[in-house]
Amino acid sequence: MKKKTSILLAGMLLCLAPSAKGVDSLDGKIKGIVLDGGLGGPLEFVTIQVKAKGSNKVLQGAVTGSDGNFTIGGLKKGEYVVTYTYLGYGEVSKNITITNNNQVLNLGEVTLEEDNTQLEGVEIVAEKPQMRFELDRKVFDATKDLASEGGSVSDLLANIPSIEVDNEGSVSLRGNSSVTIWINGKASGLTADNQADILEMMPAESIKQVEVITNPSAKFSPEGTAGIINIILKDDRKPGYYGSVKVGADTYGGYQVSGNINYSSSKVDAYANLSRRSRQMEGGGITTRQNTLDNSFLNQHSDSDRDHKNWFGRVGATWHITKSDDLALNMTGMSGGGDNEQNIHYISTDGQKNTVYTSDRTTLGDSDMKMYNIELNYRHKFSENSDIDVTVSNNQWRMDGLNIYQQSTLYTEADKTVDPIYQTQENKIRDKTWEVQADYTNKISEGARIEAGYKGTFQRNASPVDTYSGTTAEDIQQDKLLYNRFLYNQDIHAFYMTYGGKWSNLSFQAGLRGEYWLVDTRSLDYDQEFNGEPSQTYEKDYFKLFPSAFLSYALPQNNELQINYTRRLRRPWGGQLNSFRNISDASNISFGNPELTPEYSHAFELNYIKNWESGHTLSLSGYYRATDDVIQRIRFLNVEENVMYTTSENVAKSQASGLEIVGKNRLFKILNLTTTVNLYYSKLDGFSYLPEGAETPVTGETDESFAWNVRMIANFNLPWGISLQGTGNYNSKRLMAQGYRKPNYSVDLGLRKSFFEDKLTLSVNVRDLLDSRKFRTITSGDGFWQDSENWRGGRRLGFTLTYNFGNMKKKKDKGHEREQGGDDSSEMMEME
């Protein structure tokens, strides 16, 4: 399959190459730079087209680089119209004249605006879209997601095409849970252990946009075989000051209050925001488990309530020391927690459907979480073509949890009795991480660019668990058999280099990243912790290379073709490595596997993008991913105890391929549709593994399946300043280890109305309109079959009121615009 793809690509490029090669170096050239009118600085991936005056035929074209610059050659003497287009920004056209065949005409700076304003006589008619395409990512505008207004970042991510969030808060991308989540381009303390809790605490209103990077280059961490989700926090840069105050509530009793303010000048940019949220949620589940050896059943029904409150705050400032030096300090913090209550009712029956026993288990939980991230950044420009960016950050995360378990069991046979169980379990997690990163960029020429850098990550994690057991609260004693202290240390050193450039309409980039990392884990029981008994240390070190390659060709008529390749990995996280057994559900016990090794993937993508001037966009992404040493959850049943055990193992190899279709359509001037369809095929090889505690090996047959999902976001721009949004999502049946997950669907609605020239905004939304956000899985193995359905939340109606104040202008002050050496503004042509 890979060979056929390579041959196909080579053939396409050979067919395209003659048109680029035909450009005569003696012909005239134009160059310039495109700036972002809202944020200032360069605007990347803007399409530049050159047409003969009075003709609609595109003669030449280019796409701006990361510095906003472009160069177009092959222009004979004559009059031309140069058009600048970028999805979601207003189109700008300029008339130019080439007076001789070897002229180099500098068009200077051109600024594109996002909103419906007038720019020097050119009417801006485009509206900022909810999602736009860039060379290596899709960018989702979080401010336009009405359904997540007043909700959490988890709610926001659940509405983004290609992303899925399950009832436990776990995030997956294109059906793969091995995804890295960043905040502002950095890990910011998010790990697989804590990201579900942190994303649930972060308010959606603090997010500016979400970038989905499915195949990142060597400049980025290879962690996450599915790719990277980069969450960009709001950090406005406008002259003067600007801010807002927001209040909201929902029908579950939750509420939020937040405020933010921003200040910007030629010397200092500063911002601060603070929010208080109360989140209440109800959930539940139904599980039916069959022992296929004797046809007995264990049925359980659960319900849960959560009441969490937290603070979230950010503050930061950038000092523009000189025209070449910036120094920035940013701090993010969270604090909060709450109560959890879960009730589980069990009914055990024999092969004749007679009740053997009933049991009730109650879990009362109390948690307290604190997290902060401090980041110091220094940027120096050696010249207009080269700079270095150095960042040092420290992140600390702690979670204190106390769970109380009570269980009573009643047998139908009078001679069988079981004492009640009363247990308390205290868990204190401490995670400290330092990151050091340096990135160097040098634009060698108009058609070549080099990037190189280093990143060091140093993580220290300790997770002690202390359990007391008895029959009542008065007689509990420390349960030494259930004591555990898990230590997890990881150091990563990474170096990378990429080289990229452009030749006419062909853009390319190649890179290589080398990573060395050391993992040190220990799981200590009571005697090892307090009595000095020897403990086993699992220490592993790795050195791996991660290459990447990207090609992009800008075709006439707003077409673009891209192909890329990267090598990715998925490191096992702390909880997957800890051999301690979790007893929160006595009939379902989970534990980790310290022998897990990373899984590695080779990922290929072939993308095609077509834009129409009528407001339509089509994106096709074909992808293929081959993965070794796949980490999967496996289950086995202890028949005598009637307990299901769950652990993780590197079970087999897998292959995944698919096609992602994204269509954006503007209809009737009031309706914008974004439709995403994912079609994917997956194959998981067969495996046989004997986990600790199992009597027979856990096996899985080679299995392959075809799955798909579709998501549609409809935005209506109605009269009187009213915006209406509907989001629908459907997931088909999906293969998983030892079973599959059944189809599910959901619908969200949102409405927004602005008053007093956008100073006051009222938002109303309904999450899970059909009360259908549920996950149902069917699993089977040696001696068991299980059907389990779980849900969290349900239909929720929310209201949010926002007041904006301060300087509402979008224009950047000239004194603070990024300067571009060698571009004389007097050379700019007048816009027609």
Side-chain angles (χ1 to χ4, degrees), residues 138 174 605-608 619-623 658-661:
K138 296 180 179 69
R174 287 179 175 172
E605 280 197 17
L606 179 63
N607 302 316
Y608 169 77
S619 168
L620 303 177
S621 298
Y623 54 90
L659 176 65
E660 182 180 67
I661 306 170

Side-chain angles (χ1 to χ4, degrees), residues 289-298 635-640 642-644 696-699 738 779-786:
R289 181 194 306 158
Q290 180 186 16
N291 183 331
T292 56
L293 300 178
D294 62 9
N295 202 34
S296 62
F297 283 84
L298 178 64
R635 296 178 173 87
F636 63 93
L637 178 68
N638 185 307
V639 179
E640 293 181 0
N642 198 18
V643 174
M644 181 71 72
T696 58
V698 176
T699 61
Q738 294 181 277
T779 56
S780 61
D782 186 21
F784 78 93
W785 174 90
Q786 180 169 289

